[in-house]
Amino acid sequence: MSPNEFSKRRRQLMRMMGEGAIAILPAAPTKIRNRDADYAYRQDSDFLYLTGFSEPESVAVLIPGRAHGEYILFCRDKDPVRETWDGRRAGPAGAVEAHGADDAFPVGDIDEILPGMIEQCARVFYTMGVHPEFDQRLMGWVNSLRAQVGKGRHTPHEFVVLDHVLHDMRLYKSRAEVSAMKRAARIAVTAHTRAMKFCRPGLKEYEVEAEFLHEFRRNGTEPSYLPIVGGGENGCILHYTENRDSLRDGDLLLIDAGCEFDGYASDITRTFPVNGRFTPAQRAIYDLVLDAQKAAIEQIMPGKHCKEAHKAAVKTITRGLVKLGLLKGKVPALIKSEAYKRFFMHGTGHWLGLDVHDVGDYKVGDEWRVLEPGMVMTVEPGIYIPAGSKGVAKKWWGIGVRIEDDILVTKDGHVNLSAGAVKEPDDIEQLMRAA
Ligand code: GLY
Ligand code: MN
Ligand code: MN
C-alpha cells in the first residue's frame, strides 16, 4: 500500500473530525503464548488502516490543523541492544522519514507530551474498550489535567466514539484495498485448488492444512484465521480447527481457509469428496447449498440491502430441505418458525476487509444497510447434518457442506473475487480425477 493511500485516509478522517479535535489510536499489545514465546504480532486494524505502521508499543495521534504537523507518531526509540534481540525499529526519525509522520517522539516520553496535546483540544476521538490497559492510561492523562484545572490547565469537553466514523470509512474499499483483497483471494484460490488435487483417503487433516500454509507463506501471506479442515463429521462443527483426524474414503472434506495480504483477508470455503466422487446423498446436499449460494450472490448489487442474500439462501435451502424430506411442512411456515436453523444455523455472510469479520454497521437506524460499490461481503450458506441426527435418515448423517466466496459490490452488480476456486460438482470431480 502506498504512503499516499494512508495519508489520504488520515486527511479524510481529519476532515470529518474538524479543528479542535484529537484522535488517539494505540497499537495492538503483544501477547505471550507461553513463557518467553509470543504469538505472531498483528497490528490493530484501525491503527494499521491509518498508519501502515506495524510496530507494537506505538501510539498514533491526529490533530487536524496542528501547526507542527497533524500526524504524530509515538514509537519505540532506536536501541541497538534490543534491536539485536528483537529486530529492527524505525525510531522517531524513521517514523518521519519512512512512515509519513509529520512529527514523532519516543513512546517513553508520551506521559510528558500527550497530555499537553490533549489539553489543546475540545474533542477527543477514541475507541474505548478495545485495549483496556490503554483506556486506563488515557483516563490517567485526562484526570491529571483535571487535577490541575485550578492551575489553569484545560480538559477536553467531549469524548467522541472514533470507531463510528472510522469503521464507516473502512466499509468502502478503495482501489488499492480492492487490489490487495483480489490478491489475498487469488492466493487462497490457488491453495484450495492445491488441496483438492492433493487430497486422498488416509491423509490426516493437518496434511491438507499444510498445503494451505505452504501456499500462503510462499506468497508472503499468513492465514487470516485458523484454517478449518474438517473431514466427514468434523465438517458439521462450524469452527473446527483441531485438524487432527484421518480422512476417510466416502466422506466429504470441508475446508474454510483464507490468507491475509498486506493486512487484507480472504475467507473461502470449499467442500469436496475425500476420494474425488460425491455419493448421491452428498451430491444432493451439495447441489442444494450451491443453489442457495448462487441465489444469494445474485442479491449482491447496489441498492439491495445486506440481508437480501441471507433471505434468498434461507428460501432456497428451506425449499430444498422439504423436497429432500429433511423438513416437513409448508415452506413459508418453516421459514417463519426458523425450522431451517436445525441444519443451517449461521448467517449467510459478513463484511470482509482488514478483519475477517470486518467492521461496519449492518443496520442504519432501524433499516438494514443498503449495498454500495466498494463494499465486500462473504456469501457462505451451509447445511450440516451430524451423525445421530434424530428423525433423519442415516444416508444424510455426517454430511456438512459450506460454500463461501468473497464478493465485491461494483457499480453494475458484483465481482466474485474467489470465483477461481472450482465449485461446480462436476468440475471438482474432474479436477480431482486429473490430479
Ligand atoms: N472463516 C470464518 C467465517 O467464515 O466467517
Ligand atoms: Mn470462512
Ligand atoms: Mn466467512
Side-chain angles (χ1 to χ4, degrees):
M1 209 88 19
S2 79
N4 191 35
E5 174 81 13
F6 296 108
S7 94
K8 249 192 336 213
R9 294 171 186 175
R10 290 191 295 268
R11 282 201 306 272
Q12 190 185 341
L13 175 61
M14 286 194 278
R15 260 199 311 277
M16 292 192 274
M17 290 163 59
E19 293 221 359
I22 181 170
I24 303 170
L25 297 100
T30 52
K31 285 200 179 71
I32 294 170
R33 184 168 182 272
N34 54 323
R35 276 185 70 85
D36 290 339
D38 277 0
Y39 280 107
Y41 184 70
R42 169 56 159 77
Q43 189 53 279
D44 174 89
S45 293
D46 285 342
F47 187 97
L48 194 61
Y49 180 76
L50 290 173
T51 67
F53 193 65
S54 52
E55 289 188 25
E57 294 177 58
S58 322
V59 178
V61 175
L62 300 176
I63 308 179
R66 178 175 177 263
H68 297 300
E70 299 181 307
Y71 169 32
I72 304 110
L73 197 54
F74 292 89
C75 61
R76 299 175 304 182
D77 220 346
K78 295 291 285 178
D79 179 339
V81 175
R82 284 316 328 156
E83 288 181 65
T84 301
W85 285 86
D86 302 330
R88 297 187 181 90
R89 300 173 171 192
V96 172
E97 276 154 33
H99 297 278
D102 299 318
D103 209 356
F105 303 97
V107 70
D109 296 347
I110 197 166
D111 289 334
E112 281 77 59
I113 299 170
L114 190 54
M117 290 176 171
I118 295 173
E119 187 183 13
Q120 308 294 319
C121 300
R123 272 164 297 125
V124 179
F125 283 72
Y126 180 71
T127 302
M128 196 66 76
V130 175
H131 301 300
E133 279 181 23
F134 196 84
D135 294 353
Q136 292 302 317
R137 294 190 70 190
L138 181 58
M139 286 311 119
W141 292 320
V142 173
N143 283 335
S144 74
L145 289 173
R146 194 169 289 140
Q148 298 175 66
V149 165
K151 293 183 191 153
R153 299 203 74 169
H154 303 281
T155 54
H157 302 158
E158 207 183 330
F159 271 79
V160 187
V161 183
L162 172 63
D163 46 355
H164 187 69
V165 193
L166 196 54
H167 293 179
D168 210 64
M169 281 172 66
R170 281 178 52 189
L171 190 51
Y172 300 86
K173 273 68 181 176
S174 69
R175 201 187 288 249
E177 290 178 291
V178 168
S179 121
M181 292 188 75
K182 281 186 173 164
R183 186 85 178 266
R186 205 159 51 232
I187 294 163
V189 160
T190 307
H192 277 274
T193 310
R194 235 178 110 153
M196 280 184 202
K197 289 181 176 167
F198 176 71
C199 184
R200 58 182 186 275
L203 288 178
K204 295 284 190 184
E205 291 164 343
Y206 54 72
E207 291 180 86
V208 180
E209 181 184 4
E211 294 295 295
F212 282 85
L213 300 180
H214 186 245
E215 194 59 35
F216 291 167
R217 290 305 294 147
R218 72 191 282 271
N219 284 286
T221 67
E222 51 274 319
S224 44
Y225 51 93
L226 294 178
I228 296 166
V229 183
E233 181 71 10
N234 295 338
C236 299
I237 302 169
L238 299 181
H239 292 157
Y240 174 79
T241 53
E242 290 158 37
N243 304 347
R244 261 201 299 259
D245 286 346
S246 295
L247 296 172
R248 290 191 319 224
D249 205 350
D251 276 353
L252 288 175
L253 174 59
L254 184 155
I255 303 181
D256 185 342
C259 63
E260 190 176 293
F261 177 82
D262 224 355
Y264 288 85
S266 53
D267 178 9
I268 304 174
T269 307
R270 288 294 182 266
T271 309
F272 55 91
V274 167
N275 65 12
R277 297 277 302 174
F278 287 95
T279 65
Q282 290 167 349
R283 175 78 186 238
I285 300 295
Y286 188 91
D287 284 343
L288 178 50
V289 175
L290 186 56
D291 282 350
Q293 203 225 15
K294 288 177 181 170
I297 290 175
E298 271 176 33
Q299 300 301 312
I300 307 284
M301 64 177 84
K304 293 265 187 186
H305 67 63
C306 63
K307 274 286 153 184
E308 309 265 15
H310 183 58
K311 275 195 190 166
V314 163
K315 201 163 169 185
T316 306
I317 283 180
T318 307
R319 207 186 281 144
L321 289 173
V322 169
K323 232 183 229 160
L324 295 175
L326 281 154
L327 286 179
K328 286 179 185 57
K330 295 246 179 294
V331 172
L334 293 168
I335 292 177
K336 196 151 179 245
S337 68
E338 300 185 332
Y340 59 87
K341 280 195 174 168
R342 177 172 183 199
F343 303 109
F344 173 31
M345 61 296 279
H346 56 73
T348 297
H350 49 82
W351 307 126
L352 184 69
L354 283 170
D355 294 312
V356 180
H357 290 181
D358 207 27
V359 295
D361 292 333
Y362 290 91
K363 275 195 163 175
V364 180
D366 286 338
E367 301 292 324
W368 292 112
R369 182 156 210 143
V370 172
L371 296 175
E372 293 177 63
M375 295 176 176
V376 183
M377 285 204 97
T378 66
V379 177
E380 49 178 308
I383 294 178
Y384 313 90
I385 315 173
S389 293
K390 285 213 173 70
V392 173
K394 250 192 174 150
K395 65 173 176 177
W396 306 115
W397 288 8
I399 295 180
V401 175
R402 178 164 66 255
I403 308 171
E404 175 174 29
D405 282 303
D406 302 343
I407 312 293
L408 164 71
V409 184
T410 60
K411 195 160 58 63
D412 311 314
H414 63 254
V415 173
N416 183 347
L417 305 182
S418 46
V422 293
K423 61 181 177 183
E424 292 300 326
D426 290 342
D427 294 345
I428 291 176
E429 289 188 348
Q430 197 193 346
L431 179 79
M432 294 183 76
R433 224 177 3 252

